[in-house]
Amino acid sequence: METTVLFCLVIGLLFLGVPVAISLGLASVLVIALLSSDSMSSVALQLFTASQNYTLLAIPFFILASAFMSTGGVAKRIIHFAIASIGHLRGGLAMASVLACMMFAALSGSSPATVVAIGTIAIAGMRQVGYTKEFAAGIIANAGTLGILIPPSIVMVVYAAATNVSVGRMFLAGIIPGLLAGLMLMGAIYIQARRKNLPAEEWKGFGEVIAGGKQAAFGLLLIVIILGGIYGGAFTPTEAAAVAAVYSCLVALFIYRDMGPMKGNPWTLPTDKSRAIIGFKAYAYALSFLFVWFMLAFFFERSFGTGFAESRAVIGLLIGAFILVAYSAWRAGGGITAVPGTLIAGLPIWGRNLKLMGRNLLGAFVHDETRKVMVDASKTTVMLMFIIVNALLFAHVLTSERIPDAITSVMLDYGFNWWTFLIAVNVLLLIGGQFMEPSGLLLIVAPVVFPIAMELGIDPIHLGIIMVVNMEIGMITPPIGLNLFVTSGITGMSLVKVVKAAMPFVGVLFIFLIIVTYVPVLSTWIPTALMGPEIVTR
C-alpha cells in the first residue's frame, strides 16, 4: 500500500504542476507521517545527511566553471579550431559544430550551456554559408546533449551520489560513448551533406589548425587539468571541480579577457614593434610549456616518486629555455646573436600587462560581469541541489519500505533477465525523459532500478551510462525537452519547428542508445582497465 500511495502522490503532484523537488519531498514526508513506521525525525536526518554528501560538492563548482567558460570567449575559439580542423570536408561547418560541442562538453559538463555557448555562434555561421536554419538548429540541439555524456558531467555526479558509485569511473566510462556519439552524428551529417550538396570550407592548411589550437589552448587545457588531475592521483573529482572553477575564472578574466575590467585590452597593441611582439611571444610559449610540464609532473609525482619530479623539473627548465631561444632566433632573424635584443624588447609588453593585471586584480573579482556569472551559477546550483536533496529523501523512503526489493522479486518471478530488464529501463526513462528534468528523473528512477540491476549482474557503471544516454534523448524530445527550449530561444524559431528539425538526428541517438545498452564493453573497458571493476556492497 505504501508503494502505491507514494508513487500516486508523486505522479499526481507532478501532473498538477507542482515543482519536481516539492513533489518528491512532500510525497515522502506524507508517507513517513501517515503510513510508515519510520520516525519523522528521519526527515531532518536525511535532509542533513544529503546536504553533507561530499560528492555533491562537485556540482556547484562544475556549474561555476561552466558559467565562466560560457560567458568568456572560449566557445568562439573552440569553434575556430574545429572549423580549421574539419571544415574543409563536405558539410564541414556542420561537423565542426558537432566537434566544437564535443570539446566544449568536456569543459562545461552541462547540455544547455553547450547549446547556448556553441549554438549562438555556430548557427549564425552555418546560416551565412548556405545551411538552412532548421538544419543548423537540429544539429546543435542534438550535439548539445553530449554535454552530459562526455566527462566531466554534472548528471554523472548526480548518478554517482544517488547510487554510491565512483565518480572517477563514471567519467572514464563516458569517454568512448561520448566520442562514438559525436562520430555518429558527424557521419549522419556527412551523408546528408553528400545528398544535399552542402558547402565545404576552404582548406587553409595546417598552419590555420595550429593557430586555432593555440587560441583555444587555455580553454582545452581544462580537460587535461580535470582528467589528468583525477587519474594522476593529484586530487579527487570534487577537488578537480574546485580547481576547474578557479582556473575558468582566471582564464576568462585575466588571459582571454572576454569579461571583467580588462575586457577589450589585448595583450599586444598595434603600436608594438614586431621585434617586441616576437620577444613577448617567446616568453609566453616558454612559460606555457613550463606550466603544462610542471602540472603533469605534479599529477604523476605520486606514481613515480619525488626523484622523478625533480629530474622532470630540470628537463622542463632546459626545454623551456630552448623554446625561448629557438623561437626568438627563428622569428626575429639574425640567428642566435639577435636573441638577447629580442627578449629584452619583449619585456616592456610583459611589464605593461602585469601592471594592468595588478591594478585590476581585486576589481576583476567584484566586477558587474563577474558578479552576474556568480549569481547565475548560484541560482542554478540552488535549484539543482534542492531537487537532489528532496530526491534523496524520496530514495530513503523507497529503501526504508523495501520497495526496490519487492520490485526485484516481482521482476525475477516473471522471468526478467538482464537483456529484457534493460529494455524496460530504457522504455521507462525514454517516457519519463519527455516530462521531467534529467537530474530529477534520474534521482527518482536510479534508487529503484539500481538494486534490480545488481541482482541481475549488470555492471553499475554500464547502467549509469545507459541512464545518461536516456537523459540525453529526453533533452531533445517534447514536450519538456530542455535543449529544444534553449535552441528555440537562441534561434527565435517556434518550438514545433525546432522539434521537426531535431527529429532526424534523434534517430541517430536512438541507434546509439541500442549500441551502448547491449555492448557494455564500450562503457566498462576504460574504467576497468585503469581503475578496476566497481565494487558494490549490498
Side-chain angles (χ1 to χ4, degrees), residues 51-95:
S51 64
Q52 298 298 306
N53 192 322
Y54 178 74
T55 302
L56 293 178
L57 191 60
I59 292 176
F61 289 123
F62 276 131
I63 290 174
L64 185 58
S66 171
F68 275 114
M69 285 295 180
S70 301
T71 306
V74 176
K76 177 177 64 179
R77 294 173 174 86
I78 286 177
I79 290 173
H80 178 208
F81 176 53
I83 292 172
S85 301
I86 61 173
H88 60 283
L89 302 174
R90 180 69 64 184
L93 190 55
M95 288 192 285

Side-chain angles (χ1 to χ4, degrees), residues 101 110-120 140-141 143-145 483 486-487 490:
C101 285
S110 168
S111 183
T114 303
V115 172
V116 172
I118 302 298
T120 49
I140 294 299
T145 62
N483 278 18
V486 174
T487 306
I490 64 175

Side-chain angles (χ1 to χ4, degrees), residues 77-78 80-81 84-85 206-221 247 255-256 281 284-285 288 327 330-331:
R77 294 173 174 86
I78 286 177
H80 178 208
F81 176 53
S85 301
F206 286 104
E208 185 71 11
V209 177
I210 295 172
K214 288 192 295 184
Q215 289 182 13
F218 280 100
L220 297 176
L221 186 60
Y247 177 83
I255 297 179
Y256 285 154
K281 288 184 176 180
Y285 291 142
S288 298
Y327 184 84
W330 171 49
R331 295 304 300 253

Side-chain angles (χ1 to χ4, degrees), residues 74 258 435:
V74 176
D258 294 309
F435 301 97

